[in-house]
Amino acid sequence: MDLTPKNVKQYIKDALANPGLKKAVDNATTTAVNKRRMLVEKTAYWEELRRRNHAAKREILADLAGNLERFEKHCHENHIQLLWASDSEEAKRLILDLAREKGVKKIVKSKSLTTEEIHLNPALIAAGIETIETDLGEYIVQLMDQIPSHLTMPALHLSRRDIGKLFHEKLGTPYTHEPVELLTIARRLLREHFLTADMGITGANFGVVDSGVVTIIENEANAHLTISLPRIHVAVMGIEKLVPDMKSLAYFLRVLAASATGQKSSCYVNFVGGPSRQKYGEGPEEVYVVLVDNGRTRMAKDPQLWETLACIRCGSCLNHCPVYQQVGGHAYGWVYMGPIGICLIPQFLGEDEGRLAPTMCSLCGECFVACPVRIDLPRHILELRRRVAEKGYTQGPERFGMAAWSQLVRHPVLYKLATWFPGKLQLLMPRGKSFPAPGYTKERSLPEFDTKGFRKRFNEMKEKSGK
Ligand code: SF4
């Protein structure tokens, strides 16, 4: 699947023309939002957790280089080997070189957005290494030759029937859309791969600075098998994924599952503290952590947007976003989507390629409320819009609208007329009908214009309040 954020307009049109997609995204996000709400309402100290998490990430990002050095030292003590990658090409090269050196023929993978970001799978497959995703959602999108459409629920855009058809066509199994039967098919096939793989590649949710431990969180135990069955484990981790210590990790674990799926806790929390086969007779013989920069050092130095690196990829902002709910994840044209995606796309890919991303937002503010790390996403989206506009990437109607508005606010008589006139014109419309606006009113109605005008209304309010 070849997507680019430059084509988002076409992807949005395609998504809106697909009622099945809308239904699947709606079902999944509504369930996640409701389950999260019920859990958060019962957690009296939720806001305190958000504040602590924000403070922990601020502490990490304020001295990212120093924290990475400390993490490296503790990893070495644990016999974890670190590989540093300045960009996605270097990350791919390091992993490929390692796989070749160790004679790796087959790799099992668990869900990792960082490996999606560096496009690792196509590189491994092109090098002749069999590479199999083992998270059920990832396995499904890999069979479809797609990328995940959500940060935590990769196949959220598909229905059970879509998956049944896919398995029937690609795996040759009898058609079924029963979830347990579909799961049994995937489990049977994946088990064989776990047992015969030479290398397991995972992402990393957190790297704990003061102990040199990597934490991988999941619900299906596929990451556990990916870590523990092959002889080599490679964790691919963005350099911002650090947390100071185990105590702060506990606060993040408390919010991550709750925000992602409304669970009190994830089913499995894997702590990787070094190779264990020699010592315990099980687990990997060798453990590597690939630390991927790919622009993160630059992003951490940004006086405002550094905060977007505090993201723990829970997906809560996607579930709450009215734009994501309409179009799903592929419409964003890259591996990160939803409110956090539109902040990351221009930062990773540049303001030219990612210029349309920050427009995919209604500025309703729900994402900020839903974020367990208190990332002020709407403020960052506005900042990115400003930066994109300053580079001259504005559209004709937008420029015309802004020029007209600037004239109006500088000429009080014109302003008065402009705010009075639409209200009077509104009276000519049949009751309850709003003006048609090309494109906009195809999906919704414009609010009715005020028939009094701002000044009259303001003076009335002033009189009423007696000020
Ligand atoms: S920005 Fe916040 S809500 Fe969105 S995925 Fe990241 S941590 Fe979750």
Side-chain angles (χ1 to χ4, degrees):
M1 184 178 220
D2 215 6
L3 296 173
T4 160
K6 278 187 177 167
N7 293 341
V8 293
K9 285 186 183 169
Q10 187 54 48
Y11 304 148
I12 290 170
K13 275 188 196 153
D14 296 345
L16 291 175
N18 182 347
L21 172 89
K22 164 94 180 84
K23 198 169 165 223
V25 176
D26 235 14
N27 284 344
T29 53
T30 307
T31 309
V33 165
N34 288 339
K35 284 173 78 180
R36 174 198 169 273
R37 195 193 55 243
M38 284 192 283
L39 192 60
V40 169
E41 278 170 4
K42 283 190 218 150
T43 313
Y45 47 90
W46 184 259
E47 283 307 309
E48 182 58 22
L49 285 170
R50 291 177 78 213
R51 262 189 282 276
R52 281 179 190 237
N53 290 337
H54 191 272
K57 279 292 182 183
R58 177 187 281 269
E59 180 190 325
I60 289 292
L61 293 165
D63 179 21
L64 188 54
N67 282 307
L68 283 165
E69 265 178 41
R70 284 184 279 282
F71 179 64
E72 182 179 37
K73 178 176 160 280
H74 293 298
C75 283
H76 281 160
E77 286 163 7
N78 292 338
H79 306 287
I80 295 176
Q81 302 183 55
L82 293 195
L83 304 173
W84 296 86
S86 59
D87 57 19
S88 57
E89 289 311 309
E90 190 173 13
K92 281 187 285 198
R93 186 179 52 72
L94 287 169
I95 298 166
L96 267 174
D97 287 351
L98 181 67
R100 286 192 188 115
E101 185 195 320
K102 303 286 174 187
V104 171
K105 300 271 182 305
K106 185 191 275 194
I107 293 177
V108 280
K109 277 188 77 234
S110 75
K111 184 152 57 63
S112 155
L113 288 158
T114 313
T115 62
E116 298 286 347
E117 176 192 315
I118 63 172
H119 304 296
L120 180 61
N121 286 14
L124 293 171
I125 292 164
I129 301 171
E130 194 182 356
T131 306
I132 302 114
E133 291 289 348
T134 62
D135 170 274
L136 182 60
E138 283 274 356
Y139 181 62
I140 292 164
V141 293
Q142 188 184 29
L143 281 178
M144 292 191 92
D145 194 23
Q146 290 187 349
I147 59 170
S149 67
H150 190 277
L151 298 180
T152 57
M153 299 178 269
L156 148 147
H157 57 296
L158 300 171
S159 69
R160 286 187 282 154
R161 284 180 171 74
D162 294 332
I163 298 164
K165 265 190 245 158
L166 175 77
F167 278 18
H168 177 59
E169 282 162 19
K170 295 269 168 141
L171 305 175
T173 51
Y175 173 82
T176 172
H177 57 260
E178 285 308 317
V180 176
E181 288 174 26
L182 292 169
L183 193 60
T184 309
I185 295 169
R187 187 179 281 160
R188 181 169 45 77
L189 293 168
L190 288 173
R191 220 165 249 179
E192 192 55 35
H193 291 306
F194 283 124
L195 291 170
T196 50
D198 312 290
M199 179 184 273
I201 298 183
T202 66
N205 294 91
F206 302 101
V208 186
V209 170
D210 77 346
S211 49
V213 164
V214 171
T215 313
I216 297 142
I217 292 156
E218 51 151 348
N219 279 329
E220 298 175 16
N222 66 301
H224 183 69
L225 296 173
T226 303
I227 294 164
S228 53
L229 289 178
R231 59 192 159 88
I232 304 160
H233 172 214
V234 178
V236 183
M237 174 176 149
I239 54 171
E240 83 285 17
K241 292 286 179 69
L242 300 178
V243 291
D245 47 33
M246 286 291 177
K247 189 175 168 195
S248 53
L249 175 68
Y251 296 133
F252 281 105
L253 294 183
R254 187 72 187 83
V255 298
L256 181 51
S259 303
T261 49
Q263 287 167 267
K264 268 191 179 168
S265 112
S266 306
C267 296
Y268 301 90
V269 180
N270 301 287
F271 291 91
V272 179
S276 56
R277 191 164 293 192
Q278 222 179 351
K279 201 166 168 191
Y280 301 110
E282 57 182 316
E285 288 166 15
E286 296 171 50
V287 177
Y288 297 83
V289 174
V290 182
L291 282 158
V292 182
D293 186 318
N294 208 23
R296 287 166 169 85
T297 301
R298 168 182 45 80
M299 287 155 71
K301 288 184 186 145
D302 189 297
Q304 182 180 324
L305 301 178
W306 67 266
E307 209 191 29
T308 54
L309 285 182
C311 172
I312 56 170
R313 312 277 191 261
C314 71
S316 178
C317 57
L318 279 60
N319 300 338
H320 288 77
C321 174
V323 177
Y324 181 89
Q325 287 164 5
Q326 293 294 321
V327 296
H330 291 156
Y332 293 80
W334 206 47
V335 295
Y336 299 118
M337 64 291 284
I340 185 64
I342 64 176
C343 290
L344 294 178
I345 289 169
Q347 294 190 78
F348 274 118
L349 301 182
E351 282 154 14
D352 173 27
E353 188 163 355
R355 64 187 178 274
L356 292 174
T359 62
M360 295 178 76
C361 170
S362 67
L363 292 177
C364 69
E366 274 293 298
C367 50
F368 173 50
V369 181
C371 177
V373 197
R374 259 188 139 262
I375 302 173
D376 193 347
L377 293 156
R379 195 165 68 93
H380 303 316
I381 293 166
L382 277 178
E383 171 64 12
L384 281 159
R385 284 186 184 177
R386 191 187 63 73
R387 291 184 192 184
V388 167
E390 268 182 3
K391 288 211 159 172
Y393 290 122
T394 48
Q395 295 176 8
E398 196 183 344
R399 280 198 297 277
F400 172 77
M402 284 300 163
W405 174 254
S406 140
Q407 287 302 319
L408 283 181
V409 291
R410 277 185 279 173
H411 298 90
V413 178
L414 271 182
Y415 186 86
K416 196 172 174 182
L417 198 66
T419 51
W420 168 84
F421 181 66
K424 297 297 163 205
L425 208 59
Q426 174 81 51
L427 297 173
L428 300 176
M429 295 292 292
R431 230 181 206 302
K433 285 257 176 204
S434 70
F435 284 106
Y440 189 88
T441 46
K442 202 174 151 208
E443 301 282 337
R444 52 184 120 37
S445 323
L446 270 182
E448 284 188 15
F449 286 107
D450 182 24
T451 49
K452 279 188 184 171
F454 172 72
R455 282 157 187 269
K456 205 168 174 187
R457 194 172 285 276
F458 183 75
N459 287 334
E460 279 177 11
M461 281 168 64
K462 218 162 120 184
E463 261 173 44
K464 251 194 214 166
S465 67
K467 286 185 188 166

